[in-house]
Amino acid sequence: MRLILATIVLAAIGYGTYWHISARGLEQEIAATLDRNPDISVADYDLGGFPHRFDLTLDAPRLRLPERGLEWHGPVLNIHALSYQPHHVIAVFPPEQMLWLNGQEWTLRSPDARASVVMDRNRSGILDRANLVFDTPEFTRLSELHKADSLRASVTRSNDTADYDVALELSGYRPDEGVMSALDPNRSLPPMLARSRALATLRFDSPLQPGMAAPDLIDITITEMDIIWGDIAVQASGRLQPDVAGTLSGQLDLRITRWDQVLDLLVAAEVMAPDAAQMAQMLLTSLSDRDSGQLDLPLRVRQSVMSFGPVALGMLPRL
């Protein structure tokens, strides 16, 4: 009996020593990450969870990507990992977050927003896969209110390479009513998109390492993009290469049902000039299937401008 008790005590002491040594190393890594990344900041942080977990609380975290016109911050961010499985991290976001995107301020609200990040067990610091889920998110900007049933995203490393498969799905998206009135004054479209999802492969020059400088993005292969909104259906695939400024070049292959409605939406959204839409209307009428209203369209992309022949159809966002 004494031997058993002694063994239990020694195991508990050993495990406690392991936790404290690991926690000290984690705190040093947090400090080093903040020191080498001036665009990441926190007001304070606290590490707890002894003995079974590591629970990290970040107060007022802020992430800036000025070269991309992006900034995010929230009041708190909670990060959790089991002490015997530190390579698998769960992040729980606050119910309200702020996002600045290209000079526009957005507020994102969700009662349940979390992410899961799994690092490669065999190669320290290499991202293996990650998932993001926002339940019933709301996006607000000025007087606009956009809603959805869920927002889901995933990133998975492909076959021990620097290629990552990315999936993005926005379910039950309902645009702001004022935006809907501007885009579709005749109310020919339903208030909710039936489907909005995309699948792509991103190739980098080296694997992703969270907390380190991002590797260069070499190209983007879009395997599937699918948007269905009323009678409008848009499918896309293609390959794009970014330059150092984040503008894109390459080719996109589109299949569009009710493309005439899409032109009206692009003009209403000020993505496409009215005179360009009129020229596109005349050109595309002869190319589409008159019975189905379907149009197959190979687009050239140069410096983020999408063109069909001499007609510019709109711009892709800068990365």
Side-chain angles (χ1 to χ4, degrees):
M1 178 61 71
R2 290 181 179 179
L3 179 60
I4 294 175
L5 291 176
T7 302
I8 293 173
V9 170
L10 288 174
I13 293 173
Y15 189 84
T17 302
Y18 157 78
W19 189 94
H20 285 289
I21 291 175
S22 299
R24 190 176 303 116
L26 182 56
E27 289 179 331
Q28 292 173 350
E29 181 60 31
I30 294 169
T33 299
L34 294 173
D35 184 60
R36 66 174 174 256
N37 291 280
D39 292 328
I40 302 175
S41 64
V42 297
D44 197 6
Y45 64 87
D46 179 70
L47 181 62
F50 178 83
H52 302 298
R53 303 187 313 183
F54 295 113
D55 294 332
L56 176 63
T57 300
L58 303 177
D59 293 328
R62 185 180 296 267
L63 171 65
R64 304 178 186 87
L65 297 175
E67 71 280 3
R68 298 291 182 251
L70 178 67
E71 182 174 337
W72 171 91
H73 80 84
V76 67
L77 179 64
N78 294 304
I79 300 174
H80 310 281
L82 295 174
S83 55
Y84 56 86
Q85 204 173 27
H87 69 286
H88 186 181
V89 173
I90 303 294
V92 180
F93 294 91
E96 181 173 300
Q97 309 162 57
M98 303 300 295
L99 181 68
W100 279 265
L101 184 60
N102 294 325
Q104 297 182 342
E105 181 180 355
W106 290 86
T107 300
L108 172 57
R109 297 183 179 90
S110 172
D112 186 9
R114 59 187 63 218
S116 169
V117 178
V118 180
M119 309 300 289
D120 191 325
R121 282 180 175 267
N122 301 316
R123 297 182 61 186
S124 177
I126 301 297
L127 176 66
D128 185 65
R129 62 187 184 274
N131 292 279
L132 176 72
V133 178
F134 279 44
D135 185 46
T136 60
E138 294 183 353
F139 313 88
T140 60
R141 181 180 71 92
L142 301 176
S143 61
E144 296 179 14
L145 173 59
H146 303 258
K147 298 181 179 181
D149 293 336
S150 67
L151 170 63
R152 297 177 180 272
S154 67
V155 178
T156 306
R157 189 174 177 216
S158 178
N159 298 324
D160 200 30
T161 66
D163 295 359
Y164 286 85
D165 297 325
V166 178
L168 179 65
E169 183 172 9
L170 186 63
S171 300
Y173 172 56
R174 301 177 292 283
D176 172 77
E177 291 187 6
V179 172
M180 280 289 298
S181 297
L183 291 177
D184 185 30
N186 296 324
R187 297 292 182 174
S188 59
L189 293 169
M192 183 175 71
L193 274 69
R195 183 183 300 166
S196 179
R197 68 182 181 187
L199 303 175
T201 298
L202 277 58
R203 173 167 295 177
F204 297 90
D205 64 351
S206 62
L208 296 174
Q209 294 181 273
M212 304 295 288
D216 291 332
L217 177 61
I218 298 175
D219 66 43
I220 303 168
T221 301
I222 301 172
T223 53
E224 179 185 341
M225 187 183 76
D226 195 8
I227 299 174
I228 298 178
W229 192 7
D231 294 333
I232 295 176
V234 179
Q235 296 173 309
S237 61
R239 187 173 182 181
L240 301 168
Q241 294 83 36
D243 60 18
V244 293
T247 58
L248 297 167
S249 297
Q251 181 162 325
L252 287 175
D253 296 315
L254 299 184
R255 171 165 287 182
I256 308 173
T257 302
R258 289 309 307 268
W259 59 270
D260 52 334
Q261 279 190 280
V262 174
L263 287 181
D264 292 339
L265 291 175
L266 292 175
V267 172
E270 299 182 352
V271 173
M272 191 175 193
D275 55 345
Q278 186 176 7
M279 184 181 299
Q281 180 91 26
M282 292 186 294
L283 178 63
L284 300 179
T285 298
S286 61
L287 300 175
S288 63
D289 186 292
R290 294 184 178 181
D291 295 328
S292 65
Q294 183 173 290
L295 174 68
D296 291 323
L297 201 62
L299 300 183
R300 183 186 64 180
V301 181
R302 178 174 296 177
Q303 294 185 331
S304 292
V305 178
M306 297 182 294
S307 302
F308 179 73
V311 181
L313 299 178
M315 286 197 66
L316 295 174
R318 184 171 67 94
L319 295 181

